[in-house]
Amino acid sequence: IVAVGHGTAALLLRSRRAPAFRGPVESRTLLETMDHLVTWHDGNGHVLEASPAAVTLLGLPPDALRGRGLFSRVHVCDRPAFLRAIGEAAVGASPAVVRVRLHAGPDSAVEAGERGGRKASRVLWVETRAHRIETPRPGAAAPAVIAVTRDISEHRQREEELEEARRQAEEADLSKGRLLAAVAGELRAPLNAIVGAADMLAVESAEGPESCKRRRQAATIGASARNLLDLADALGDLAAIGTRTVELALEPLDVAALVNSCCDLMGARAQAAGVVLSCSVVPGLPELVADGRACRRILLNLIASAMAFTPRGGQARVGAARDGDRIVLTVSNTGLGVARSDLPRLGEAFFRATQVPGDRDGHGLGLAAVRGLVGLHRGTITVEGASGEGTSVAV
């Protein structure tokens, strides 16, 4: 009980001898061995008696805390909270707990500290737990509240250090997000120009071996530039989500038109990759209320990922159906699949699933951006699959 500290106050209350601060030898001995300060207060909060721990905690004899001695050492900003806790304990059945700052040291140091002088007092953070005394001792100076005060300065310092570390981490995360957004924005324009020029070179009409070679090289340039453009888009989406700068413009969307337009945009890439891309939308779907751009980014990312991990001759399928009051968008493939042990981590930025034969490198940003955009819509995402059996993602 001595180790617990606050439990001592409950013991004294249960013994019904707590108000008699000239109590038995056992009670006085117990108080003398406690590191926590025990004080008895009247209904106005004045201290009637204090335990010997006043010397250890504040460097003062117990008599110095009587009357308004303890209150005068409470930090000016914390005094209302301290009085409120004592008052609540006096009239309430449950204990009142308050954290305040106390000035330790002689009165001259306290006065100088409050005036901003050179001889400033030592300031402690303490936690006070005040209990009501149910059977007060008869007399004019009958205590109404018993309070146990313990030093929490080290604990408070650790809390402040953790809060400062959290603040610095948030600032660093915001700075990283702004950098990613800037990089993504700067990359998009030149990459779009490269893609356009490569497409033009790839379809030139000249014949001959050199011309065919140039067309193949142009197609390679275009494919590489599109991969970089996908990366820039994913970085931009993640940066916007991380810095909380995404503003959803909710509007009614035609689900069939949304799915078909995304499949049309990815059709040429699927043909170049030798992947059969098909779409299947259940007829009569209601309108989907969501952000159109975000939904297109979700589908395009999922389709691009499905095709990237599907070998030539494989299939990628996009579907839409209704499930109660929600729309389910599904993208699946017959590709390399993912190990079941990796499924829970899919969607973490820069996470790469366990390599399987023929696997291609991936940065993991596409699905991470999808998870973020789905989360902003309060939607859900599930991933199913196994190594060599393809993957299915349902939003």
Side-chain angles (χ1 to χ4, degrees), residues 41-345:
H41 303 255
D42 62 17
N44 296 319
H46 296 158
V47 174
L48 302 177
E49 189 76 5
S51 69
V55 178
T56 305
L57 184 65
L58 300 174
L60 297 168
D63 290 346
L65 302 184
R66 290 186 179 181
R68 293 178 59 84
L70 177 60
F71 178 75
S72 66
R73 293 180 173 277
V74 178
H75 194 283
V76 175
C77 297
D78 299 335
R79 289 177 181 177
F82 180 78
L83 287 179
R84 185 166 56 251
I86 298 297
E88 290 175 355
V91 300
S94 58
V97 181
V98 64
R99 290 185 174 187
V100 299
R101 287 160 288 183
L102 283 182
H103 293 280
D107 293 336
S108 58
V110 174
E111 294 173 358
E114 292 185 348
R115 293 195 305 266
R118 294 182 179 178
K119 190 179 180 181
S121 61
R122 183 168 57 96
V123 178
L124 304 175
W125 271 101
V126 299
E127 181 182 83
T128 297
R129 183 180 295 267
H131 301 256
R132 178 183 179 182
I133 297 178
E134 298 293 344
T135 55
R137 180 172 59 90
V145 173
I146 182 173
V148 180
T149 300
R150 64 187 182 99
D151 187 355
I152 60 168
S153 298
E154 292 185 3
H155 178 70
R156 181 74 181 190
Q157 182 178 356
R158 287 195 295 270
E159 286 183 343
E160 293 176 350
E161 291 173 351
L162 288 173
E163 177 63 23
E164 176 63 19
R166 183 192 64 79
R167 186 189 62 80
Q168 292 181 0
E170 287 184 349
E171 288 184 355
D173 197 47
L174 287 174
S175 299
K176 180 187 69 176
R178 296 189 188 101
L179 175 62
L180 289 178
V183 170
E186 292 296 324
L187 287 174
R188 284 192 182 103
L191 286 174
N192 277 314
I194 293 172
V195 169
D199 288 344
M200 292 178 62
L201 291 174
V203 297
E204 66 179 8
S205 59
E207 298 295 335
E210 288 299 321
S211 180
C212 292
K213 181 179 179 180
R214 285 196 297 270
R215 285 199 296 271
R216 288 195 300 270
Q217 292 173 339
T220 302
I221 293 171
S224 300
R226 286 189 182 88
N227 289 335
L228 289 176
L229 191 56
D230 289 341
L231 175 59
D233 288 337
L235 285 174
D237 290 337
L238 283 177
I241 294 168
T243 56
R244 301 177 181 87
T245 57
V246 178
E247 295 184 2
L248 298 180
L250 302 182
E251 57 181 338
L253 302 176
D254 185 318
V255 179
L258 171 68
V259 172
N260 290 327
S261 65
C262 290
C263 289
D264 290 342
L265 283 173
M266 302 298 289
R269 292 179 62 175
Q271 185 176 4
V275 176
V276 178
L277 178 62
S278 61
C279 298
S280 175
V281 180
V282 174
L285 289 179
E287 291 181 324
L288 170 65
V289 179
D291 183 283
R293 177 193 174 277
C295 288
R296 281 188 289 274
R297 293 296 310 149
I298 289 171
L299 273 178
L300 292 175
N301 269 323
L302 292 179
I303 296 171
S305 178
M307 292 193 307
F309 294 94
T310 302
R312 299 187 69 87
Q315 297 181 11
R317 295 180 292 271
V318 184
R322 181 173 182 171
D323 182 14
D325 61 347
R326 290 198 168 193
I327 298 294
V328 181
L329 305 175
T330 307
V331 178
S332 59
N333 68 349
T334 58
L336 304 170
V338 179
R340 296 188 188 278
S341 59
D342 290 335
L343 290 177
R345 295 196 61 190

